[in-house]
């Protein structure tokens, strides 16, 4: 049987150069191929006309550019677009484009330089962490995406934008889709490398954000490899509460998590900070006492808080609700008054299930968590008193 072909998509430049050296070619071939793949969006090796015919035919035998297929995008009236990226074994992960207000996907305002096109990408098929308020966790987990499947989401989305005459392309990438990026470490690092490479997407390190539920040892490792922006899903100022919302906290409690953040902040330098994500759930973590505890916890740390009003999803069995606007504003002012920079994330794309925490895709659950979850629900339905 012939060996599987090497997929050149998502390969960092250094790896691609070694690949060419390994077949007796000059390393600059890597640069040529990268321009074809990412700038010209060419996947057919034969179309790479500045490469000799004989090298092209050799390349075709050993390599390919295989991009995960995208389904037709679903469009929300606020301009958000959600695609399903088809990955292995008939599974699908979700990718979400969030264009800045001021231009929409359908009617890009040409020449508005401040406009951002943020792409929210997935790093795993499902998620193994099972945070209590997140739809992805309820789907269960199947495995990691490859670097090609991660970069492929950005490749496809930027091609879609170009096809619609939006030549700004993807300006920001956040690893806030399905999965825990730090549990798929090397492919995520490789992908960030390609996202930032001038021959590929050329996105600055400040505009590439890895979001983590708090895999402490991996935050420390991250500092050895990169200095992209970091967001931490905090959601609670105390361990008893965070243990419930983010079960990973039992392994890596808040104090350890903040130590790892301080470590990463040294890598980021004086002028950059870490974003603390805090999903506000009514009656769970949204009291003024919680805000005070949070402010106390973060004082002295270069951190900004990003408040995310809870987004409901169909499978939620906890009966979680989003606090009303007044309560959210009270929580935010309490933090601001304590001197903590705090932003409120506007809910976007919720009408198509594309908002934070609503992404599900198609996951063949290998952990049987979804089954156990539904079974538990069936039992509690039976034992519930009749209304
Ligand atoms: N595993 C990573 C990446 C997922 S990020 C992480 O935990 O950071 C997704 C972001 O959306 C996280 O901050 C997550 O906590 C938040 N989120 C998840 N479910 C949500 C929901 N139902 N409503 C609002 N935000 C949610």
């Amino acid at each position: 049987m012939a060996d599987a072909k090497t997929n050149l998509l998502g390969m960092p430049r250094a790896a691609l150069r070694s690949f060419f050296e390994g077949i007796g070619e000059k390393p600059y071939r890597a640069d040529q191929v990268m321009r074809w793949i990412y700038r010209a969006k060419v996947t057919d090796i034969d179309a790479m006309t500045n490469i000799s015919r004989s090298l092209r035919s050799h390349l075709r035998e050993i390599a390919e550019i295989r991009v995960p297929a995208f389904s037709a995008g679903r469009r929300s009236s606020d301009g958000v677009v959600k695609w399903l990226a088809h990955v292995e074994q008939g599974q699908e992960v979700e990718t979400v484009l969030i264009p800045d207000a001021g231009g929409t996907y359908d009617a890009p305002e040409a020449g508005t330089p401040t406009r951002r096109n943020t792409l929210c990408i997935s790093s795993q098929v499902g998620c193994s962490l099972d945070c209590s308020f997140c739809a992805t966790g309820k789907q269960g987990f199947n495995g990691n995406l490859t670097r090609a499947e991660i970069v492929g989401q950005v490749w496809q989305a930027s091609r879609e934008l170009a096809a619609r005459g939006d030549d700004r392309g993807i300006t920001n990438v956040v690893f806030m889709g399905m999965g825990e990026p730090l549990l798929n470490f090397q492919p995520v690092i490789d992908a960030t490398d390609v996202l930032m490479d001038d021959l590929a997407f050329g996105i600055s390190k400040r505009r590439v954000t890895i979001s983590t539920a708090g895999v402490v040892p991996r935050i420390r490792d991250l500092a050895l490899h990169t200095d992209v922006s970091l967001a931490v899903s905090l959601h609670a100022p105390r361990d008893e509460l965070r243990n419930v919302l983010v079960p990973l906290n039992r392994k890596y409690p808040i104090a350890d998590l903040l130590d790892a953040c301080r470590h990463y902040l040294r890598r980021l330098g004086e002028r950059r900070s870490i974003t603390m994500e805090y999903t506000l759930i009514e009656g769970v973590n949204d009291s003024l006492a919680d805000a005070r505890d949070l402010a106390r916890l973060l004082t002295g740390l270069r951190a900004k808080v990003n408040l995310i009003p809870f987004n409901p999803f169909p499978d939620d069995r906890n009966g979680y609700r989003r606090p009303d606007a007044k309560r959210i504003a009270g929580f935010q002012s309490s933090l601001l008054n304590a001197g903590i920079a705090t932003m409120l994330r506007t809910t976007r794309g919720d009408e198509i299930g594309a908002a934070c925490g609503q992404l599900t895709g198609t996951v063949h659950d290998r952990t049987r968590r979804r089954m156990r979850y539904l079974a538990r629900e069936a039992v509690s339905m039976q034992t519930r008193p009749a209304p």
Side-chain angles (χ1 to χ4, degrees):
M1 207 184 83
D3 284 343
K5 292 183 179 180
T6 305
N7 192 357
L8 305 184
L9 183 72
M11 233 192 225
R13 200 192 311 190
L16 199 53
R17 285 185 172 166
S18 322
F19 170 83
F20 278 104
E21 284 176 314
I23 58 169
E25 287 292 328
K26 291 272 186 315
Y28 75 86
R29 295 288 182 201
D31 304 28
Q32 293 179 315
V33 166
M34 286 186 83
R35 286 198 189 89
W36 282 113
I37 299 177
Y38 301 104
R39 300 237 180 113
K41 296 282 188 296
V42 157
T43 55
D44 175 4
I45 289 172
D46 249 344
M48 303 182 173
T49 46
N50 58 358
I51 293 173
S52 72
R53 206 179 284 270
S54 63
L55 176 55
R56 272 185 271 161
S57 92
H58 179 45
L59 267 184
R60 274 214 324 270
E61 280 162 27
I62 59 169
E64 61 185 344
I65 293 115
R66 198 172 63 249
V67 189
F70 255 27
S71 64
R74 279 193 66 195
R75 205 85 41 99
S76 158
S77 57
D78 60 5
V80 167
V81 187
K82 178 169 87 169
W83 292 281
L84 286 167
H86 300 265
V87 293
E88 54 180 37
Q89 298 163 5
Q91 304 185 99
E92 295 155 336
V93 297
E94 300 192 327
T95 306
V96 178
L97 174 72
I98 309 138
D100 247 3
T104 70
Y105 182 64
D106 285 320
E109 288 174 12
T112 40
T114 54
R115 238 190 83 222
R116 284 188 301 188
N117 280 319
T118 301
L119 194 71
C120 177
I121 61 174
S122 295
S123 57
Q124 297 185 305
V125 183
C127 189
S128 64
L129 295 180
D130 201 18
C131 297
S132 68
F133 51 88
C134 178
T136 303
K138 307 303 164 215
Q139 286 285 295
F141 175 66
N142 189 278
N144 288 326
L145 295 184
T146 62
R147 63 188 177 193
E149 289 165 337
I150 299 172
V151 170
Q153 297 170 60
V154 186
W155 190 97
Q156 288 282 28
S158 64
R159 194 171 68 158
E160 298 267 347
L161 283 174
R164 281 169 170 75
D166 183 337
D167 49 18
R168 280 196 61 71
I170 300 298
T171 61
N172 297 60
V173 173
V174 295
F175 284 82
M176 295 184 187
M178 297 164 66
E180 168 51 47
L182 294 189
L183 292 178
N184 185 15
F185 196 77
Q186 197 56 50
V188 164
I189 296 292
D190 287 354
T192 57
D193 192 319
V194 173
L195 295 180
M196 294 188 288
D197 194 315
D198 286 334
L199 295 181
F201 297 98
I203 304 174
S204 94
K205 59 190 180 185
R206 288 159 200 273
R207 291 166 178 253
V208 172
T209 303
I210 291 181
S211 179
T212 179
V215 190
V216 163
R218 290 314 210 171
I219 294 176
R220 293 175 178 278
D221 293 344
L222 193 63
L224 297 172
H225 287 86
T226 187
D227 60 348
V228 296
S229 296
L230 184 68
V232 170
S233 288
L234 189 59
H235 310 304
R238 295 175 306 277
D239 283 324
E240 328 79 81
L241 181 54
R242 193 164 192 271
N243 285 344
V244 176
L245 300 179
V246 183
L248 183 68
N249 193 69
R250 291 184 218 134
K251 198 161 173 195
Y252 305 118
I254 294 173
D256 296 359
L257 177 56
L258 295 187
D259 272 348
C261 288
R262 277 184 275 272
H263 181 83
Y264 196 72
L265 278 167
R266 284 196 285 279
R267 177 76 162 92
L268 289 185
E270 293 289 299
R271 292 170 44 188
R272 296 172 69 193
S273 56
I274 289 181
T275 301
M276 297 291 172
E277 297 167 279
Y278 196 103
T279 298
L280 282 167
I281 310 169
E282 188 185 78
V284 174
N285 64 355
D286 68 337
S287 72
L288 289 177
D290 294 328
R292 266 196 308 274
D293 288 352
L294 183 60
R296 205 169 299 140
L297 191 67
L298 298 182
T299 297
L301 192 75
R302 270 199 329 279
K304 287 186 278 211
V305 173
N306 200 339
L307 297 174
I308 316 171
F310 172 72
N311 293 309
F313 54 93
D315 258 351
D316 173 33
R317 301 292 198 271
N318 292 307
Y320 286 158
R321 283 193 308 265
R322 179 185 302 179
D324 64 30
K326 206 172 134 216
R327 215 169 149 88
I328 294 175
F331 196 93
Q332 182 178 19
S333 337
S334 168
L335 287 170
L336 287 171
N337 291 337
I340 309 288
T342 308
M343 298 152 296
L344 181 61
R345 190 181 290 177
T346 5
T347 301
R348 305 273 310 269
D350 51 336
E351 83 193 25
I352 55 166
C356 300
Q358 295 184 321
L359 304 187
T360 50
T362 306
V363 177
H364 301 158
D365 186 15
R366 289 203 314 212
T367 62
R368 310 206 308 153
R369 182 189 318 128
R370 185 167 171 77
M371 228 169 79
R372 288 198 303 271
Y373 187 72
L374 295 175
R376 209 159 50 222
E377 168 65 9
V379 170
S380 73
M381 298 270 272
Q382 281 161 15
T383 53
R384 219 170 272 164

